[in-house]
Amino acid sequence: MVQTSTPEARGADAGRQTPPAPEYSSWISQDRSTDPASVAMRREAAELVERVMEHYRTNTTHEVDGQWTEPVAHYLDADRWQRETDAVHRTVPLPLAMSAELPGPNTYKALDVLGVPVLITRDRQGAVHAMINACRHRGAKIIEPGCGVSKRLTCPYHSWSYDLTGELRGVYAEKTFGDVSRAGRSLVRLPAGERAGIVFVSLDPAAEPDLDAWLGDLQPLLEGLRLAECHHYSTKELTSPNWKVTLDGYLETYHFASLHPKTVFETNLSNLMAHDTWGPHQRLSPALRPIARAVELPPEQRDPGECVGAIYWLYPGLAIAGGWRSKIAVSLVLPRTATESVTQQIILLREPAATDEERHAADQFGEWFHEVVRDEDYATTYGVQQGLKALDGTDFVFGRNEPGLQHFHRTVHEHLGRAAR
């Protein structure tokens, strides 16, 4: 079951109690895997620590050459929102599930994406499939949103049943209904593929996505994280503002000290990070507070998982935070309307939570992440959205120290430009 909540706009004094901070432990320092991707990931992580330490020593952060201005109208215009979602979400391969959400044969994840009911499955051979979650008899939704296990997908309306590849297997009372072509009435399939512990789906049934090209040189680093070996612990949902208003908050660390003084800023330094891009994708790497001690240590004694909080961000809206740690928080942001999006918060663990103590720690981690995003980030961004109409005709400015925002909006502009040609 997916839990859903809605934040309120942030007031001058929310009067809320700060949630207890979770305990973090590094995974990357314990990893001894010898496969090429893991070795390359650890080597690159060590290099990244050196880059972030240089920013720490010089009290700097990653900067680009200039500022970027984005018209407020680009957040408000419903026609532009439609063109954006057509050019982006209905065109590119979307990261819609973590492999750990489909941990074995006969598992599934159902979710709605821009009004399209999507069903992702793993068949009994372990292969991943995606299809439109609508019965070919009269269009009823077959599976409610969430994850589960089932050998058959049975429509609740008239009990037509399908296997996990989407093929029609059973028609209730077919003697009186009449013969039904199994091949002709299978579920409508969507292109799907699995890379580096992430399942990608295209909303266009005719698409032929090249996932290796789409991920490019980022793919080996993602493979080194070994996300496919993680365990899915929980999923919660948050309603959130316009997708770009929401994502803008994920793509900079400039706000940590001011917006999160008693939460995120307790463990992360503010406005001090490295930044990398791979095509449309990117990584923000803020410094963690233990870097102050590690800077005095020789390189071989520095733990990347304690020094840098690398956040891998896959376009157009999947953030993987804590990939070098034992607990990982994944955020999947999907547009709903021009003024609303939905965020799935997916908690992954390196080891299953087998004891009461481990379950308590996992619960605390997930609750902290949920409350901070809901009560600090999204409460603030709902306030941003409330002011958009009054600011129409003006623009927002992204600083040199906000390269993630600039890269994201530039990429959206590029997709719109290609779609217009």
Side-chain angles (χ1 to χ4, degrees):
M1 181 66 67
V2 178
Q3 301 178 34
T4 305
S5 59
T6 305
E8 299 293 334
R10 185 181 178 87
D13 181 8
R16 54 182 282 268
Q17 287 190 340
T18 303
E23 293 184 2
Y24 295 109
S25 60
S26 176
W27 162 80
I28 191 172
S29 62
Q30 307 301 317
D31 180 40
R32 298 293 184 268
S33 304
T34 58
D35 59 283
S38 296
V39 171
M41 183 270 299
R42 292 196 300 270
R43 181 175 60 248
E44 199 267 349
E47 294 169 355
L48 181 58
V49 169
E50 292 301 317
R51 290 168 53 200
V52 176
M53 278 191 170
E54 184 59 26
H55 285 306
Y56 177 80
R57 294 186 187 100
T58 57
N59 194 26
T60 59
T61 189
H62 185 103
E63 296 181 37
V64 290
D65 291 338
Q67 297 175 335
W68 173 287
T69 56
E70 185 72 11
V72 172
H74 288 180
Y75 295 88
L76 275 170
D77 187 344
D79 289 338
R80 182 182 178 90
W81 176 87
Q82 187 65 61
R83 288 187 287 112
E84 286 173 350
T85 54
D86 286 346
V88 178
H89 298 83
R90 298 186 190 277
T91 302
V92 307
L94 301 176
L96 294 185
M98 306 304 292
S99 297
E101 294 180 275
L102 299 101
N106 302 318
T107 52
Y108 65 81
K109 178 181 182 179
L111 70 168
D112 292 334
V113 185
L114 282 171
V116 179
V118 176
L119 178 59
I120 306 168
T121 64
R122 191 181 300 281
D123 66 24
R124 62 181 183 178
Q125 282 78 36
V128 163
H129 307 268
M131 55 210 79
I132 294 177
N133 185 14
C135 181
R136 295 298 307 283
H137 171 214
R138 298 255 296 281
K141 182 176 287 188
I142 299 172
I143 301 290
E144 289 301 313
C147 298
V149 181
S150 182
K151 292 182 178 180
R152 286 288 177 96
L153 308 169
T154 301
C155 176
Y157 201 176
H158 299 95
S159 294
W160 284 29
S161 62
Y162 304 81
D163 65 20
L164 273 78
T165 70
E167 185 173 337
L168 179 63
R169 290 296 185 183
V171 175
Y172 171 66
E174 191 170 7
K175 282 186 177 181
T176 57
F177 186 91
D179 292 340
V180 177
S181 167
R182 297 307 191 255
R185 290 289 168 180
S186 294
L187 298 179
V188 175
R189 291 175 171 84
L190 298 172
E194 192 170 18
R195 296 290 188 280
I198 304 164
V199 179
F200 296 84
V201 178
S202 296
L203 296 185
D204 179 1
E208 298 179 353
D210 183 341
L211 294 180
D212 296 323
W214 177 244
L215 292 173
D217 291 337
L218 175 59
Q219 184 169 331
L221 296 180
L222 292 174
E223 289 173 345
L225 296 177
R226 304 219 306 280
L227 297 171
E229 299 175 19
C230 290
H231 302 267
H232 176 218
Y233 184 74
S234 65
T235 297
K236 294 182 179 180
E237 279 192 355
L238 280 165
T239 55
S240 38
N242 167 278
W243 75 291
K244 291 189 300 184
V245 172
T246 299
L247 286 173
D248 283 354
Y250 283 85
L251 294 172
E252 46 88 2
T253 66
Y254 183 39
H255 70 277
F256 283 2
S258 51
L259 187 58
H260 306 299
K262 296 181 180 179
T263 53
V264 177
F265 190 53
E266 293 275 313
T267 55
N268 290 251
L269 297 180
S270 189
N271 199 35
L272 198 164
M273 70 169 194
H275 184 252
D276 300 279
T277 62
W278 298 267
H281 317 296
Q282 52 183 304
R283 180 180 63 194
L284 283 70
S285 302
L288 302 178
R289 290 197 172 273
I291 203 170
R293 299 189 302 271
V295 73
E296 304 297 334
L297 298 175
E300 64 273 10
Q301 294 182 22
R302 296 169 183 162
D303 183 346
E306 291 187 353
C307 296
V308 176
I311 304 168
Y312 293 83
W313 192 86
L314 274 63
Y315 186 83
L318 183 80
I320 303 168
W324 294 353
R325 292 172 169 174
S326 59
K327 300 181 185 70
I328 301 169
V330 178
S331 301
L332 171 60
V333 178
L334 295 168
R336 275 183 174 167
T337 69
T339 59
E340 185 178 84
S341 60
V342 62
T343 303
Q344 287 195 350
Q345 294 184 330
I346 303 161
I347 302 301
L348 305 181
L349 306 178
R350 292 289 174 183
E351 299 292 338
T355 67
D356 288 343
E357 182 180 4
E358 290 167 346
R359 285 187 288 272
H360 175 74
D363 286 339
Q364 186 180 26
F365 175 74
E367 288 166 6
W368 182 91
F369 181 57
H370 184 75
E371 290 185 29
V372 168
V373 172
R374 181 191 63 196
D375 298 340
E376 296 178 5
D377 291 290
Y378 285 8
T380 300
T381 52
Y382 265 110
V384 171
Q385 181 146 308
Q386 288 177 356
L388 290 177
K389 191 171 182 180
L391 290 173
D392 194 12
T394 68
D395 57 32
F396 291 153
V397 58
F398 306 147
R400 298 195 314 270
N401 61 340
E402 298 178 310
L405 291 172
Q406 296 198 28
H407 185 72
F408 167 61
H409 285 268
R410 183 180 297 110
T411 304
V412 174
H413 282 245
E414 290 171 354
H415 277 95
L416 280 173
R418 285 199 290 270
R421 290 198 289 268

